[in-house]
Amino acid sequence: MNPRFRLSLEPLTAEAFAPFGEVIGIEASAERFAINAGTTERLHALARVAHDGGQAVISIGIAQSRRLPFALELIERHPLGSQAFVPLDGRPYIVVVASTPADRPRAFLAANAEGVNFRAGTWHHPLIALADHSRFLIIDREGTGDNCEEVRCTEPWWIDAAS
Amino acid sequence: MNPRFRLSLEPLTAEAFAPFGEVIGIEASAERFAINAGTTERLHALARVAHDGGQAVISIGIAQSRRLPFALELIERHPLGSQAFVPLDGRPYIVVVASTPADRPRAFLAANAEGVNFRAGTWHHPLIALADHSRFLIIDREGTGDNCEEVRCTEPWWIDAAS
């Protein structure tokens, strides 16, 4: 695989991911307040759900693992709604996003059980799970209209564990 | 504590919970289809998010544990939106719901890392976590308007582990 097209894995931080959406985790900067008669601390509105028309639904995805090194196949986006993935068993996975299909993608390693919320219209690769049967909660849009654009990668981008 | 007011713990099944909302788990009856180029199985729309006006937001709650036997304190409801809680670390917790504040509540034990989605207007006790620092993903409504009604329990309902 051509080193020129190798993507380095970046840590998944709220700041680095901000152009693409939100990180759903224990963020120091979150607005916090007590609920449930003071017995629960709420980290409020870590992400916002967009669903132009349609309705927000909660689903579960059970992902097969992908082997590294991994060659990117395609990227897609959902123009009509946000899409959140939150790991339910804390296993690591890789999130790949791009500003446009022509730009160099960025690859983030979610190593601390954080979730991500892709802003509506954010180009992303399907999640790259690193452990079999990884379960993710998915919060996204159900409704009419064409909410999925998909393009094949034009360059042979790839990622590896040791990057 | 008066045995007459003791609530038995029921298993949290989709069928038993249906009058109050949805169970978010690996349901045999879920609509399933493949996403992510066939590498992920999606259990679709296990729950639907309602947010009359306002917006759906994704938050995290970090709950202190409650000790059993536990006396119920109050019940509340959110007339303008649904509210989902999904455990992020798979720890058991208890969900208490009621048809009306005057009815005998029902107590469900979530023992298999399932989440719940309270339908808008469902009377419920604040979640009763059984392990400290239990983390829950919360999907509910943010917006103007009075979305929380709270009433003190009029009878001394209580729950115990061994019920």
Side-chain angles (χ1 to χ4, degrees), chain A residues 19-74:
Chain A
F20 310 103
E22 297 131 330
V23 173
I24 301 168
I26 310 297
E27 291 292 330
S29 62
E31 179 191 354
R32 292 172 186 240
F33 51 85
I35 59 173
N36 289 356
T39 64
T40 297
E41 180 178 30
R42 177 173 171 134
L43 283 66
H44 180 65
L46 297 170
R48 288 166 196 283
V49 181
H51 55 90
D52 188 4
Q55 187 181 25
V57 295
I58 303 173
S59 305
I60 288 178
I62 306 172
Q64 298 168 23
S65 63
R66 313 306 294 261
R67 297 237 174 111
L68 301 180
F70 179 78
L72 302 189
E73 297 157 356
L74 54 86

Side-chain angles (χ1 to χ4, degrees), chain A residues 36 38-49 51 55-64 66 126 140 142, chain B residues 36 38-49 51 55-64 66 126 140 142:
Chain A
N36 289 356
T39 64
T40 297
E41 180 178 30
R42 177 173 171 134
L43 283 66
H44 180 65
L46 297 170
R48 288 166 196 283
V49 181
H51 55 90
Q55 187 181 25
V57 295
I58 303 173
S59 305
I60 288 178
I62 306 172
Q64 298 168 23
R66 313 306 294 261
D140 62 1
E142 181 184 61
Chain B
N36 290 355
T39 63
T40 298
E41 181 178 30
R42 176 172 171 133
L43 283 65
H44 181 64
L46 298 169
R48 288 167 196 281
V49 181
H51 54 91
Q55 187 180 24
V57 295
I58 303 172
S59 305
I60 288 177
I62 305 172
Q64 297 168 24
R66 312 306 294 260
D140 63 1
E142 180 184 62

Side-chain angles (χ1 to χ4, degrees), chain B residues 1 7 21-22 29 37 46 55 70 74 77 125 148-149 162:
Chain B
M1 292 175 150
L7 305 176
E22 297 130 331
S29 63
L46 298 169
Q55 187 180 24
F70 179 78
L74 54 86
R77 68 171 179 173
H125 190 279
C148 193
E149 293 177 55

Side-chain angles (χ1 to χ4, degrees), chain A residues 58, chain B residues 11-25 27 29 45-50 78 81-85 93 95-99 106 108 114-124:
Chain A
I58 303 173
Chain B
L12 180 62
T13 65
E15 195 171 19
F17 196 70
F20 310 104
E22 297 130 331
V23 173
I24 301 169
E27 290 294 330
S29 63
L46 298 169
R48 288 167 196 281
V49 181
H78 311 296
S82 57
Q83 189 175 46
F85 292 89
Y93 62 98
V95 186
V96 175
V97 287
S99 298
R106 291 176 65 181
F108 294 93
E114 316 94 324
V116 290
N117 187 42
F118 297 122
R119 195 171 296 125
T122 294
W123 288 100
H124 60 279

Side-chain angles (χ1 to χ4, degrees), chain B residues 124-145:
Chain B
H124 60 279
H125 190 279
L127 280 198
I128 300 167
L130 298 175
D132 248 352
H133 304 293
S134 293
R135 291 177 306 123
F136 293 90
L137 200 70
I138 306 171
I139 300 113
D140 63 1
R141 175 189 183 275
E142 180 184 62
T144 55

